[in-house]
Amino acid sequence: MTARDPSGQDSLLLDSQLAPPMANGEVLFDAPWQGRVFGMARVLAEAGYFTWDEFRAHLIREIGVWDRSASDTEYHYYDHFLAALQALIEEKQLLNPALLEDRVRTFADRPHGHDH
Amino acid sequence: MSEHSPQEIRAEALESLLVERGFLTGEDVDESIEVYSERVGPMNGARVVAKAWVDPDFRVRLLADATSAIEPFEFQGGEVQKLVVVENTPAVHNVVVCTLCSCYPWALLGLPPTWYKDPAYRSRIVREPRRVLVEFGLSVPDGKEVRVWDSSAEVRYLVLPERPAGTDDLDEAALAALVSREAMIGVAVL
């Protein structure tokens, strides 16, 4: 992850992030939810609910907001990916946004230690 | 797991509603993740590169129309509908980026590494490619041109690395084993 330092220069710590060259089956997602979000976007696109180009336009928009902001918050790619998916689902009227927020609250309020 | 991040909760809520409304199933999502984590990856691109090294006709077809040239491989994963292969030569080094997001030839390289998606790489490889390449451990000689290819919504790029010296005796499979993901993005050479 990259943070923007006050001088405006991006810090680059590429060495530590270089994966072994031929690694296959490497860890692609930092957390399982990132894989779920990626998979949901792919399945919905493959089923024709939207095109991948439409998804990409939303992703570029979400990332662009961070890129142009003066924020010194850390960059987390999948946060933007999730926001893009949610915006597109809303645009395509697949889910009612209020319903989603209700569900988010319900899940957030689950007893501590909840596990599947 | 006791603590759930806000993103994790939101992703779970989203999936539960999409499943309830019949847009997808959890198994669909499992399968999609499996395709991208196990069935596509740099080994596919490496096969294409090795074939281009040993088969001059294929190399010509690959450089002219990569999308058609790789069809017989029947790779899964997509994102190669408009694939362009750029060839490294003694005079030119190529490197690939997506400045706006994370466009990448999935069928050939799998999903992109973290650094490829990071703002630092996306902005700096265009501004100061030689310096960034040095940070990857690759020093491009002054006389050699560096070309940076920005993936757009349509085009995906793959770098065809130069074949390493001393590999005349190797067959296609052995050559493929030499080809790294970083070399096919252009942040390394072989």
Side-chain angles (χ1 to χ4, degrees):
Chain A
M1 299 303 157
T2 305
R4 201 172 275 161
D5 74 33
S7 68
Q9 291 286 313
D10 294 321
S11 59
L12 201 54
L13 300 168
L14 296 174
D15 287 349
S16 62
Q17 295 175 3
L18 277 176
M22 284 305 294
N24 193 40
E26 65 185 271
V27 177
L28 293 170
F29 306 105
D30 293 331
W33 70 264
Q34 299 176 352
R36 304 307 294 175
V37 168
F38 176 82
M40 282 187 263
R42 289 304 300 159
V43 170
L44 291 174
E46 281 161 17
Y49 292 109
F50 48 75
T51 67
W52 199 250
D53 281 347
E54 288 176 308
F55 178 76
R56 182 175 299 110
H58 277 274
L59 182 60
I60 288 172
R61 189 174 310 149
E62 295 292 339
I63 289 173
V65 170
W66 190 94
D67 279 351
R68 288 187 297 274
S69 74
S71 162
D72 58 1
T73 55
E74 277 198 7
Y75 181 80
H76 295 289
Y77 173 79
Y78 274 102
D79 290 2
H80 303 291
F81 196 103
L82 173 59
L85 178 60
Q86 199 180 311
L88 185 52
I89 283 172
E90 188 172 328
E91 179 185 302
K92 294 290 180 182
Q93 301 182 325
L94 301 186
L95 295 178
N96 179 339
L99 198 64
L100 175 61
E101 296 311 317
D102 281 350
R103 183 65 54 96
V104 168
R105 269 192 300 277
T106 304
F107 282 2
D109 291 343
R110 284 177 305 205
H112 197 68
H114 160 87
D115 215 346
H116 302 265
Chain B
M1 187 176 297
S2 55
E3 285 294 333
H4 297 272
S5 73
Q7 290 83 3
E8 183 182 359
I9 290 168
R10 184 161 291 272
E12 193 188 349
L14 199 56
E15 184 170 349
S16 75
L17 283 171
L18 288 169
V19 168
E20 278 174 25
R21 298 296 159 110
F23 292 112
L24 48 74
T25 67
E27 290 73 24
D28 293 336
V29 177
D30 294 343
E31 192 181 326
S32 185
I33 295 168
E34 193 198 323
V35 166
Y36 288 97
S37 42
E38 289 172 26
R39 284 181 244 162
V40 304
M43 68 288 190
N44 291 350
R47 284 175 60 198
V48 171
V49 167
K51 187 171 175 62
W53 284 342
V54 301
D55 180 342
D57 290 340
F58 176 74
R59 180 180 150 275
V60 169
R61 291 203 307 279
L62 186 68
L63 294 174
D65 179 357
T67 300
S68 302
I70 66 163
E71 264 173 24
F73 287 94
E74 297 184 339
F75 294 132
Q76 287 182 282
E79 290 291 286
V80 288
Q81 298 93 328
K82 195 166 180 193
L83 178 69
V84 171
V85 172
V86 288
E87 184 181 34
N88 283 349
T89 68
V92 176
H93 179 81
N94 296 284
V95 61
V96 179
V97 64
C98 173
T99 56
L100 292 180
C101 52
S102 50
C103 297
Y104 196 70
W106 291 343
L108 296 176
L109 295 180
L111 297 185
T114 301
W115 58 259
Y116 184 86
K117 300 177 287 191
D118 250 24
Y121 180 76
R122 291 189 287 110
S123 60
R124 290 191 53 216
I125 193 69
V126 177
R127 281 203 316 266
E128 44 182 7
R130 287 172 188 275
R131 208 171 136 194
V132 173
L133 290 175
V134 165
E135 291 171 31
F136 274 94
L138 174 60
S139 181
V140 179
D142 284 343
K144 195 169 195 170
E145 182 188 348
V146 175
R147 290 184 191 158
V148 181
W149 300 88
D150 186 2
S151 311
S152 68
E154 289 183 0
V155 182
R156 300 287 174 276
Y157 297 97
L158 183 86
V159 175
L160 176 58
E162 290 183 271
R163 180 171 173 167
T167 58
D168 291 354
D169 294 339
L170 298 183
D171 66 11
E172 206 174 311
L175 286 169
L178 300 177
V179 182
S180 69
R181 174 178 68 189
E182 278 66 26
M184 292 183 280
I185 303 175
V187 296
V189 294
L190 302 173

